[in-house]
Amino acid sequence: MTTANPNRRNFLSQSLAAAPLLLATSAIETAPAAEPPANDKSRPLKIVCVGGHPDDPESGCAGTLARCSTAGHSVTVIYLTRGERGIKGKPLDEAARIRSAEAEAACRIMGAKAVFAGQVDGAADFTRARLEEMQALMSAENPDLIFAHWPVDTHFDHQAASMLAIRCQMSLPRRPRLYFFEVNTGSQTQGFTPNVYVDISNQVEKKKAALFAHVSQDGQGIWKEHHEVIAQFRGREAGVTAAEGFVHLSRNTSVGGTLDFLF
């Protein structure tokens, strides 16, 4: 293929043609995020965590959720599915009953309320109809802050849960803050580099207990193989004994760079 050297007239015409796109892109990138003001700790906040299956929120941020509850905030965990395909050899309805009970037990340990979004494990959808269902649940909670899966994940249900949370956050009038958590980093969560940490040194036992409540999933094994190591590693990054890491997308670190306003 032969390309001609652009002359001055061609250069100007091409530059003018590209100008609207460049201006539009610049406007998008520099527009400030619609964030609520930092909490002055004088009122409890409403916090919602969205996970794909029972044990996902516990894996990613049980320590943080327990700290939030202890601090007096209202915490709700929305499970996209009931983990119907998570118990080998069990019919879907029986597995759903078992895993729902385990999730409710875990939420009691974390001081949270369990809500189930009605999708099915292994068949989660990210469609307008599903979004409207999630928006109805979110609107009922009216959260100040949302925790959700990091969207780059090997499990499609996790991706669907993340995208539904993102779209809900964009549509809610108050535009709650949105923080992404990790699950089994490396084997599931991909490319996750935290820019926010929460010290869970005093909540490790509650995180363990919340995971151990998922007996059908070998919660004790999950803790030992994955989350004990992650909690220690994130703690080392944060300079504490144990921590949970999150990603906040705001470029303004004074807005999203800390969760200290919660505690």
Side-chain angles (χ1 to χ4, degrees):
M1 179 177 69
T2 302
T3 57
N5 291 327
N7 57 31
R8 185 168 179 270
R9 179 178 298 175
N10 288 338
F11 176 78
L12 288 172
S13 63
Q14 291 167 5
S15 299
L16 289 171
L21 177 59
L22 292 172
L23 289 171
T25 303
S26 175
I28 291 170
E29 290 180 348
T30 59
E35 297 279 1
N39 182 39
D40 61 5
K41 301 184 181 181
S42 64
R43 69 176 182 90
L45 299 181
K46 293 184 177 181
I47 296 166
V48 169
C49 179
V50 181
H53 316 92
D55 82 7
D56 285 332
E58 295 85 335
S59 295
C61 55
T64 300
L65 297 180
R67 275 199 69 180
C68 290
S69 174
T70 300
H73 303 301
S74 171
V75 180
T76 298
V77 178
I78 299 179
Y79 298 97
L80 188 66
T81 77
R82 294 178 182 268
E84 291 86 347
R85 289 186 169 86
I87 305 178
K88 188 175 181 179
K90 294 285 187 184
L92 298 189
D93 57 349
E94 184 178 353
R97 285 195 298 272
I98 293 170
R99 297 200 65 189
S100 298
E102 291 173 345
E104 289 168 348
C107 282
R108 285 193 292 272
I109 292 166
M110 296 185 292
K113 175 180 70 175
V115 173
F116 298 92
Q119 296 210 43
V120 177
D121 184 5
D125 290 325
F126 174 47
T127 63
R128 288 195 178 277
R130 291 303 194 183
L131 177 59
E132 290 172 0
E133 293 172 359
M134 183 64 78
Q135 285 173 328
L137 293 177
M138 283 283 192
S139 295
E141 298 299 330
N142 192 25
D144 297 286
L145 186 150
I146 298 171
F147 292 109
H149 281 281
W150 176 242
V152 186
D153 196 288
T154 60
H155 201 307
F156 185 85
D157 291 357
H158 296 180
Q159 293 180 7
S162 181
M163 295 308 299
L164 288 166
I166 291 169
R167 295 303 308 180
C168 284
Q169 188 265 353
M170 291 177 175
S171 66
L172 289 169
R174 289 199 295 170
R175 286 293 296 275
R177 298 181 182 189
L178 175 60
Y179 293 83
F180 298 103
F181 62 80
E182 60 186 326
V183 283
N184 294 346
T185 291
S187 60
Q188 289 186 320
T189 304
Q190 305 287 303
F192 186 87
T193 303
N195 55 15
V196 181
Y197 296 88
V198 172
D199 182 357
I200 64 163
S201 303
N202 294 329
Q203 301 294 333
V204 169
E205 292 306 313
K206 280 190 178 180
K207 183 179 177 81
K208 288 169 61 177
L211 279 168
F212 291 0
H214 295 277
V215 177
S216 71
Q217 305 304 296
D218 184 20
Q220 295 192 34
I222 290 173
W223 168 254
K224 292 298 294 183
E225 183 177 355
H226 298 286
H227 300 295
E228 182 176 31
V229 177
I230 291 174
Q232 291 173 352
F233 181 71
R234 297 306 183 200
R236 180 170 295 186
E237 289 182 320
V240 297
T241 302
E244 290 170 338
F246 301 90
V247 172
H248 186 277
L249 298 183
S250 175
R251 291 181 174 85
N252 181 356
T253 56
S254 67
V255 173
T258 177
L259 282 163
D260 291 346
F261 64 88
L262 289 172
F263 315 116

